[in-house]
Amino acid sequence: QIGALFNFVGTINAGVGKYCDAEPGSGTRVFTTNAVSAVKLTDLILPGMVKADKGLIVHCSSGAGERRLRSLR
């Protein structure tokens, strides 16, 4: 039984000034790491917490989630 999940995973395309200059597929890797992993972890852990009627899940993003892209072109 898992009583708490603390998810602190996060990544960005370091050193990339413009989205179009990023390595192909890197946007998908960043999204998968930052968003999909949180959903998958919750899917795995939450049913047991609901059954036990207790538990805590905390997803914490990095500051990269608050940065806007300088340019999409």
Side-chain angles (χ1 to χ4, degrees), residues 2 6-9 15 19 27-28 31-33 35 38 47 51 56 58-59 63-65 69 72:
I2 297 175
F6 295 90
N7 176 24
F8 292 97
V9 68
Y19 187 82
T28 300
F31 182 78
T32 299
T33 301
K51 185 176 180 181
L56 173 69
V58 176
H59 294 290
L69 293 171
L72 293 176

Side-chain angles (χ1 to χ4, degrees), residues 6-73:
F6 295 90
N7 176 24
F8 292 97
V9 68
T11 187
I12 61 170
N13 285 328
V16 175
K18 295 180 181 179
Y19 187 82
C20 64
D21 293 336
E23 177 185 328
S26 62
T28 300
R29 284 192 299 278
V30 168
F31 182 78
T32 299
T33 301
N34 295 339
V36 176
S37 64
V39 172
K40 286 186 174 187
L41 285 169
T42 301
D43 285 347
L44 288 170
I45 303 303
L46 186 60
M49 290 179 171
V50 170
K51 185 176 180 181
D53 196 30
K54 63 180 178 179
L56 173 69
I57 297 176
V58 176
H59 294 290
C60 183
S61 70
S62 69
E66 297 180 10
R67 286 180 38 193
R68 72 173 184 87
L69 293 171
R70 290 189 307 186
S71 175
L72 293 176
R73 291 183 255 141

